[in-house]
Amino acid sequence: MKRFIQGEHRGQSTLLPESLDDYVNDTNPVRVVDVFVDELDLVKLGFESAIPADTGRPAYHPSILLKIYIYGYLNRIQSSRRLEREAQRNVELMWLTGRLMPDFKTIANFRKDNGKAIRGVCRQFVVLCQQLGLFAGSLIAIDGSKFKAFNNRDRNFTSAKLKRRMEEIEASIHRYLTALDAADQQDRPASDPNVVHLEERIAKLKAQMKELQLIETQLNESPDKQVSLTDPDARSMMTRGTGIVGYNVQTAVDTKHHLIVAHEVTNVGSDRDQLSPMAKQAREAMGTEKLSVVADRGYFKSEEILACHDAEIVAYVPKP
């Protein structure tokens, strides 16, 4: 180990800082998160349990859970289980929460039950950025990103996929019935293991066919002719040459400091109809009269560009 940087021995006694505050320097982003959340009116924003109940076990204050959620967003930690783990070992989160360690279910329920209130927090952040002069004020960029849902591809159905699945099941049933007929010609008893197995397979396939027929009814009633069984809102869409079942998240970003001005979650795979809605939403959030938007060629649609022009928004979109 000569000529290498040497570490300390694990048995060496070390004098650590006495205060947890000494571990977080003055320029750490968690200090901004702490001040920002503490200044919010969580009751007015509509957070559940912002006013404690008179009875029952005391709950975590929404500000603590909101700080954990924002910290996870800043550090790309989406899983509630990972956030629970970070709260137990991460010094920044310990400082931010006062060493409180909510379990993953509490974090997940907070995120699920306060979606509207969290969107209100995003609007308050945009207002703060305006007051601090962090927006260029006249130019934004719009783009979309595909996010995979929990819904498996096998649990998403379109007309073509449903028809193909039904044909496969019908072919399997026909194959097993042919095998049963061959067994009858060989005078095999009904208790023969092969015969019992074939009958069980046929019964199972017929049950699957009935389920697919019910899904076909839902599919015919669906406006976009798609059905997702796990996440009803998720849709099949193309991304980089492959298909995923998920969502198309539209984002409007300020070109000065790359701050998100507005966002919207859609289940439409194409970006062509999203230019004018996102531009109008961004202008409203920024509180400006004149606005120019930049987008890639996936947003090129004459009707959308005309809608931006009518709203006095200048759109720069390359023609495909």
Side-chain angles (χ1 to χ4, degrees):
M1 295 291 291
K2 293 182 179 180
R3 297 293 301 166
F4 288 100
I5 299 176
Q6 302 294 318
E8 293 183 356
H9 191 273
R10 294 186 180 92
Q12 174 68 42
S13 298
T14 305
L15 183 63
L16 298 174
E18 297 181 0
S19 172
L20 186 62
D21 193 62
D22 294 337
Y23 285 97
V24 180
N25 59 41
D26 295 337
T27 59
N28 196 306
V30 296
R31 293 189 179 272
V32 179
V33 174
D34 185 59
V35 174
F36 172 68
V37 173
D38 287 344
E39 292 298 319
L40 294 173
D41 188 344
L42 301 185
V43 176
K44 187 177 180 181
L45 288 171
F47 279 93
E48 293 187 3
S49 304
I51 301 176
D54 296 330
T55 58
R57 182 186 178 190
Y60 290 101
H61 194 277
S63 63
I64 298 297
L65 297 171
L66 181 60
K67 290 175 183 178
I68 295 175
Y69 175 79
I70 295 176
Y71 183 87
Y73 173 80
L74 290 175
N75 293 276
R76 299 182 180 182
I77 305 174
Q78 300 176 358
S79 167
S80 56
R81 293 181 183 271
R82 285 192 59 198
L83 285 173
E84 176 191 11
R85 196 181 309 122
E86 291 299 315
Q88 298 170 359
R89 68 183 183 183
N90 191 308
V91 175
E92 293 178 342
L93 262 183
M94 290 180 184
W95 180 91
L96 197 58
T97 63
R99 289 187 175 175
L100 293 176
M101 303 172 188
D103 61 71
F104 73 93
K105 188 66 175 176
T106 302
I107 299 172
N109 287 339
F110 169 79
R111 208 157 30 187
K112 176 174 66 72
D113 298 335
N114 295 281
K116 185 177 179 180
I118 291 175
R119 289 180 68 91
V121 173
C122 294
R123 287 192 291 269
Q124 291 294 318
F125 178 73
V126 172
V127 172
L128 175 63
C129 291
Q130 271 184 301
Q131 296 172 349
L132 297 176
L134 297 177
F135 291 150
S138 60
L139 181 62
I140 62 167
I142 298 176
D143 201 1
S145 300
K146 305 295 195 310
F147 286 82
K148 188 178 182 301
F150 286 108
N151 200 106
N152 191 281
R153 292 175 65 177
D154 293 335
R155 303 271 293 171
N156 170 265
F157 294 92
T158 61
S159 298
K161 187 186 293 186
L162 187 66
K163 181 180 178 181
R164 184 169 62 252
R165 188 76 61 86
M166 284 182 167
E167 290 174 350
E168 291 173 354
I169 291 178
E170 287 176 353
S172 297
I173 292 175
H174 178 72
R175 186 171 63 253
Y176 288 136
L177 287 174
T178 303
L180 274 179
D181 291 340
D184 289 340
Q185 292 176 3
Q186 296 173 6
D187 293 330
R188 291 186 182 180
S191 59
D192 186 277
N194 292 330
V195 174
V196 173
H197 175 71
L198 289 172
E199 290 177 346
E200 289 177 351
R201 291 295 301 169
I202 291 173
K204 186 176 180 180
L205 289 171
K206 287 182 177 179
Q208 290 180 6
M209 182 64 77
K210 289 182 179 179
E211 293 177 2
L212 293 178
Q213 289 171 350
L214 293 175
I215 293 173
E216 186 178 22
T217 303
Q218 300 177 22
L219 196 65
N220 293 331
E221 296 174 353
S222 176
D224 56 357
K225 304 304 179 185
Q226 266 198 65
V227 171
S228 294
L229 301 181
T230 306
D231 295 324
D233 293 332
R235 290 294 180 268
S236 177
M237 52 187 69
M238 293 297 296
T239 172
R240 295 182 180 178
T242 61
I244 67 166
V245 178
Y247 306 93
N248 184 5
V249 180
Q250 297 292 313
T251 309
V253 180
D254 173 73
T255 57
K256 183 178 180 181
H257 293 291
H258 303 166
L259 295 170
I260 296 176
V261 177
H263 67 278
E264 190 68 41
V265 180
T266 71
N267 57 10
V268 180
S270 173
D271 295 331
R272 297 194 184 280
D273 295 320
Q274 307 299 327
L275 182 63
S276 63
M278 289 306 302
K280 293 175 183 177
Q281 187 175 335
R283 184 175 65 177
E284 181 181 356
M286 297 175 67
T288 182
E289 295 182 0
K290 295 183 179 180
L291 185 68
S292 299
V293 299
V294 178
D296 59 32
R297 65 187 61 194
Y299 287 84
F300 188 89
K301 186 178 180 180
S302 56
E303 292 85 353
E304 287 296 308
I305 295 175
L306 179 60
C308 289
H309 176 76
D310 293 340
E312 298 183 355
I313 298 174
V314 181
Y316 298 97
V317 185
K319 188 176 181 181

